[in-house]
Amino acid sequence: MVTRVRVIREFSAANKPLIVGLPGMGRVGYVSANFFIEKFNGVHVADVYSTYFPPQLIVGKAGLSNLFVGRLFDVGNALVFTAETQPPNPEGQNEVCYVLLDFLAERGVSTVLAGAAYVVPQVSDSRRVFIAGTDKELLATLMRLGAEPLSEGVISGINGAIVGWAKYYGIPAVVVLGETWAPIVEFDEIDYRAAKRVVEVIASYLGLSVDTEYMNVLADRVEKKILKAISQAMKVSGAPEKKPPKEVM
């Protein structure tokens, strides 16, 4: 199998952190990564092609088409890596991680901050943020910013594996996980409230000022849609309808 990095325009990675977010549960990491690309006018600098990505040509406007690829952006104070999908198997996910990091380690990237979801059955509006990583100093810094360390578990996919591969290259790395409401994952929706918290913690670490208020509006829409669907399902099943506890919102 083959995985290659194609540079589109020259860029500097020296002493810059890498933000990572690919589609996963609640699309928390993906939304978080794309927030930085959009808000800081990310410049598309490289693509990661891999035979592990689905063999599909994505047709766009006016017939312009492309394969599924990973995309690297320069947002000024950081780099951001994202994609529309992940390789479906562990071999492909690992290969994308080490090919990308091998490429960026030579260029001096400083740290890796990956976004992901931590799924729980009940949540509050004030979502918690959890962290797991390979560098004590980096973990301690994020804890001072309000994140809580995980003590056990497994983080699947590139959003988790890339942190482990970063250790191989001597790059401090951490996964930043937003507390995600389980029904959002079950209904295959986006947890904007969890993504908002991940963005805020990463931005604080980078010393960036961000406005995330619009994500609350999007979160309200998703959560109301799901609560309505749950209520309708309970009526169809004949189960007594119960108002969800306040903390579920």
Side-chain angles (χ1 to χ4, degrees):
M1 307 298 277
V2 177
T3 300
R4 297 284 187 271
V5 178
R6 173 177 174 262
V7 176
I8 296 171
R9 64 173 67 193
E10 286 302 320
F11 66 99
S12 173
N15 298 315
K16 288 185 178 181
L18 171 67
I19 300 169
V20 177
L22 281 77
M25 292 184 292
R27 296 178 75 83
V28 175
Y30 178 80
V31 170
S32 302
N34 280 274
F35 175 93
F36 289 98
I37 294 169
E38 294 167 8
K39 293 300 178 181
F40 294 97
N41 300 313
V43 177
H44 186 191
V45 294
D47 284 333
V48 178
Y49 283 80
S50 178
T51 50
Y52 284 105
F53 281 120
Q56 299 169 347
L57 186 69
I58 310 305
V59 181
K61 294 180 180 179
L64 289 174
S65 310
N66 202 357
L67 292 170
F68 279 114
V69 297
R71 290 192 168 89
L72 185 67
F73 293 83
D74 188 338
V75 297
N77 293 333
L79 302 174
V80 181
F81 178 68
T82 190
E84 295 298 324
T85 188
Q86 296 198 34
N89 54 57
E91 293 82 6
Q93 293 167 6
N94 279 310
E95 183 164 307
V96 168
C97 288
Y98 73 70
V99 168
L100 175 65
L101 288 176
D102 191 72
F103 171 76
L104 291 177
E106 291 184 355
R107 290 171 173 252
V109 74
S110 63
T111 52
V112 174
L113 303 153
Y118 183 78
V119 183
V120 296
Q122 293 185 347
V123 292
S124 65
D125 281 350
S126 180
R127 303 292 183 85
R128 293 176 294 175
V129 174
F130 297 91
I131 51 173
T134 59
D135 183 84
K136 289 183 179 180
E137 185 176 338
L138 179 56
L139 289 170
T141 299
L142 291 170
M143 287 170 62
R144 288 193 291 271
L145 296 175
E148 302 177 30
L150 285 178
S151 58
E152 59 182 14
V154 174
I155 303 169
S156 301
I158 287 177
N159 296 337
I162 198 164
V163 170
W165 277 106
K167 184 176 182 179
Y168 173 81
Y169 287 99
I171 303 170
V174 65
V175 189
V176 183
L177 304 101
E179 191 175 40
T180 302
W181 188 29
I184 291 179
V185 176
E186 293 163 5
F187 279 84
D188 196 27
E189 294 283 351
I190 297 173
D191 195 332
Y192 288 102
R193 215 176 297 280
K196 172 179 180 290
R197 292 292 295 121
V198 169
V199 165
E200 289 170 347
V201 169
I202 292 177
S204 294
Y205 172 77
L206 299 177
L208 300 174
S209 177
V210 295
D211 181 2
T212 58
E213 188 58 33
Y214 78 95
M215 298 176 87
N216 284 329
V217 177
L218 297 174
D220 287 341
R221 292 176 186 170
V222 169
E223 291 165 10
K224 287 177 181 178
K225 176 182 176 181
I226 289 175
L227 288 171
K228 182 178 179 180
I230 292 173
S231 177
Q232 290 174 341
M234 292 177 71
K235 288 179 181 179
V236 170
S237 67
E241 185 175 358
K242 297 180 181 179
K243 289 185 177 181
K246 187 175 181 181
E247 63 267 20
V248 171
M249 295 299 289

